[in-house]
Amino acid sequence: MIELGARPLTLAEVAAVARDQAQVRLVRAARDRMTASRAVVERVLTGDRAIYGVNTGFGVLKDRVIAADQVRQLQLNLLRSHAAGVGRFAPRDVARAMLVLRAASLAHGHSGCRPEIVEALIAMLEGQVTPVVPLQGSVGASGDLAPLAHLALVLVGEGEAWLGDQRMPGALALRGAGLQPLTLEAKEGLALINGTQLSTALAVLACVDARRVWEAGVAAAALSTEVLLGSFQPARPEVQALRPYPGALEAARRLRAYSEDSALVASHADCGRVQDAYSLRCVPQVMGASWDALVHVEGQLAIEVNSVNDNPLVFAASDEVISAGLFHAQPVALAADYLKIAVAEVASLSERRIDRLTDARVSGLPAVLACVPGLESGYMLAQYTAAALVSENKTLCHPASVDSIPTGAGIEDHVSMAPIAGRHARQVVDNAAYVVALELMCASRALEFRRPLRAGLGCERLYGTVRRLVPAPDGDRPLASACETLARWVLSPAPVRLAEEVLAS
């Protein structure tokens, strides 16, 4: 049970709610905070103060004062008018992450909405009611307005949602889950849409997956280094201590663990080769830099996940309502851009090793890892596909966060484009998973050509995992389905568990 308002929410918990249906509840302390901030809004409504979004219009219409008897209609109109998203729909794990992230933000008690709003979001998660949210239409400032409006419409019985695997009108989805639509009070529509939840959901899930891709990438690098008869001397602790970046130390530690007690490594101890190619020799430096980037991104996203990103902000202790810019998603945009660059380098290094594995001129292995080169094309196209994915990543890695187009009649004159950075980060991570999967296929095949010599204990465990998922080939076969299977493994928690087991052994 994940208790909102009791302690900080972790990225892993967000992923658990999004993908594994972990349960959520709102703690009493959070309810009390929300009730206190709601009382401030109620007092505003009985006075003559004009407070943005409570009794005024929105954006360029901020100076239009709304009569007290129209504030409910104002909130409903806001959701309807702002549901302007287009394009492909967010995957359901992303939409579920949006639900829990918005609930967590509102639970801080600085948004002026009733606890019933958060409880309704939690009920949708429990009832498997997942809003249909278009991915395009947000510029990442003033919040992810359009995507969140689509999400919030379901709460009031409009829009569209999935109930389990069935897509239907929002009202039917609520009814099917035994839920009732809400009637929004003053400020509550704005509180539901003024946040960074699409951008953050995309970035958080991509970051969780990126750690898995990184672990699989280091494991693949260890196996490839073994079968290419490369040296593990660059991974020695006394070498890395001379330039002790934390990520480089972590990558080198894993390389040593995977290759421990390797007969393959011992077989060429005196081969006379002076240096390996960078894709083997510089794994600690390249993969280590990506590790350090992931640690930074995780820290940034942990702050965002546990923050208020609303406007205006309600301070119950001082009875104040303050307009600010906590909805601006620039911190998320920069983090997502950094994330995709870091993961793209994991794939880039992996593709270079695939190239060496399939090139008999440098590998000493059969050409393209085929049993009968010429008659069979073996793994030739593994490198082509990896090259295509790596090239696509280079385009996706253009930083979205350096762009800005003013909106809102010039009032919202700088925006973050964080949703674009988040979408691209997710695609880069998926592409990198395919590349690492292709390397695992090639390195495992290469190990079979090195038999009867055995690789290190960790590499043999990795090889066994690959072969349980994808049996050894008997001649040419389509590579696509095997790659899909291994990519799913790369994106699962399994590579992290394998690394932990190898490091502990």
Side-chain angles (χ1 to χ4, degrees):
M1 179 67 69
I2 296 169
E3 297 185 324
L4 294 185
R7 58 175 176 76
L9 190 63
T10 68
L11 305 193
E13 286 173 334
V14 174
V17 174
R19 293 169 171 169
D20 303 321
Q21 288 72 53
Q23 292 186 318
V24 181
R25 76 178 182 93
L26 183 67
V27 300
R28 174 57 65 89
R31 285 183 58 87
D32 293 344
R33 290 194 298 268
M34 296 185 71
T35 300
S37 75
R38 181 64 199 170
V40 176
V41 174
E42 296 291 349
R43 285 193 289 274
V44 167
L45 292 172
T46 61
D48 56 3
R49 279 193 296 169
I51 301 296
Y52 178 77
V54 176
N55 53 9
T56 75
F58 307 100
V60 69
L61 303 174
K62 67 185 185 305
D63 297 320
R64 305 292 180 92
V65 178
I66 307 301
D69 62 352
Q70 294 180 313
V71 293
R72 285 183 175 178
Q73 189 63 47
L74 174 69
Q75 301 305 307
L76 182 57
N77 288 348
L78 174 69
L79 301 189
R80 289 171 173 169
S81 65
H82 282 52
V86 298
R88 293 185 300 109
F89 301 128
R92 273 176 279 179
D93 62 343
V94 172
R96 285 181 57 84
M98 291 174 69
L99 287 169
V100 70
L101 288 170
R102 196 70 205 128
S105 180
L106 298 178
H108 284 277
H110 286 284
S111 298
C113 61
R114 295 166 295 158
E116 288 83 352
I117 299 297
V118 169
E119 288 170 342
L121 293 170
I122 292 172
M124 288 172 62
L125 287 167
E126 291 178 349
Q128 299 293 307
V129 177
T130 307
V132 174
V133 179
L135 280 169
Q136 293 173 284
S138 172
V139 294
S142 286
D144 289 325
L145 296 172
L148 283 167
H150 284 275
L151 180 146
L153 273 177
V154 179
L155 273 179
V156 300
E158 299 188 13
E160 288 188 290
W162 282 281
L163 179 58
D165 294 328
Q166 298 296 313
R167 181 177 165 188
M168 63 188 69
L172 288 179
L174 290 178
R175 190 181 311 159
L179 304 176
Q180 295 296 320
L182 291 180
T183 298
L184 300 180
E185 301 292 345
K187 178 66 168 67
E188 291 179 338
L190 185 60
L192 283 165
I193 71 171
N194 229 341
T196 66
Q197 275 63 52
L198 173 64
S199 304
T200 306
L202 287 163
V204 165
L205 295 178
C207 189
V208 169
D209 290 345
R211 168 73 192 283
R212 299 166 178 179
V213 172
W214 187 91
E215 290 286 10
V218 173
L223 182 55
S224 291
T225 301
E226 290 225 42
V227 297
L228 288 169
L229 307 183
S231 174
F232 285 85
Q233 294 298 307
R236 289 172 56 174
E238 61 267 38
V239 172
Q240 295 304 316
L242 299 177
R243 196 187 187 204
Y245 286 105
L249 298 176
E250 289 291 341
R253 185 164 72 101
R254 284 159 173 76
L255 291 174
R256 296 193 304 270
Y258 275 104
S259 62
E260 186 176 352
D261 292 335
S262 171
L264 259 176
V265 172
S267 72
H268 60 94
D270 301 314
C271 66
R273 185 188 297 178
V274 177
Q275 292 185 148
D276 292 320
Y278 289 177
S279 57
L280 305 182
R281 188 175 11 136
C282 298
V283 170
Q285 282 61 58
V286 179
M287 297 292 283
S290 292
W291 169 280
D292 292 335
L294 291 179
V295 170
H296 171 75
V297 170
E298 287 168 356
Q300 293 294 97
L301 293 177
I303 293 173
E304 188 68 22
V305 162
N306 292 289
S307 295
V308 178
N309 35 53
D310 201 353
N311 183 59
L313 303 165
V314 180
F315 291 86
S318 59
D319 200 36
E320 292 180 287
V321 182
I322 300 174
S323 288
L326 301 188
F327 51 71
H328 200 298
Q330 192 74 6
V332 180
L334 289 171
D337 278 338
Y338 195 16
L339 173 66
K340 67 190 185 186
I341 291 168
V343 178
E345 288 304 284
V346 173
S348 181
L349 203 65
S350 178
E351 183 276 330
R352 287 293 78 205
R353 291 190 296 269
I354 294 171
D355 181 72
R356 300 188 75 79
L357 287 163
T358 54
D359 186 348
R361 296 171 300 178
V362 297
S363 70
L365 295 161
V368 296
L369 301 173
C371 289
V372 188
L375 176 63
E376 299 170 2
S377 294
Y379 287 76
M380 181 189 300
L381 266 290
Q383 190 269 327
Y384 287 44
T385 299
L389 292 165
V390 167
S391 185
E392 181 179 317
N393 280 353
K394 294 173 185 176
T395 300
L396 293 170
C397 281
H398 178 84
S401 56
V402 301
D403 186 28
S404 178
I405 296 177
T407 57
I411 297 170
E412 298 154 4
D413 56 356
H414 182 278
V415 298
S416 71
M417 301 302 180
I420 299 172
R423 291 204 315 273
H424 288 179
R426 185 173 175 118
Q427 186 62 61
V428 167
V429 170
D430 287 346
N431 289 351
Y434 282 125
V435 176
V436 172
L438 289 164
E439 182 182 3
L440 289 170
M441 291 167 58
C442 292
S444 295
R445 188 65 180 139
L447 180 57
E448 289 156 358
F449 284 118
R450 295 295 189 194
R451 295 302 193 204
L453 293 174
R454 296 188 64 79
L457 298 176
C459 282
E460 287 290 347
R461 292 180 71 169
L462 174 64
Y463 168 78
T465 296
V466 171
R467 282 295 171 248
R468 281 193 296 273
L469 294 168
V470 178
D474 182 14
D476 278 346
R477 65 175 178 189
L479 301 180
S481 61
C483 183
E484 292 284 353
T485 298
L486 285 174
R488 286 193 294 273
W489 180 84
V490 169
L491 290 171
S492 77
V496 177
R497 288 198 299 266
L498 177 62
E500 291 169 348
E501 293 166 2
V502 169
L503 289 169
S505 62

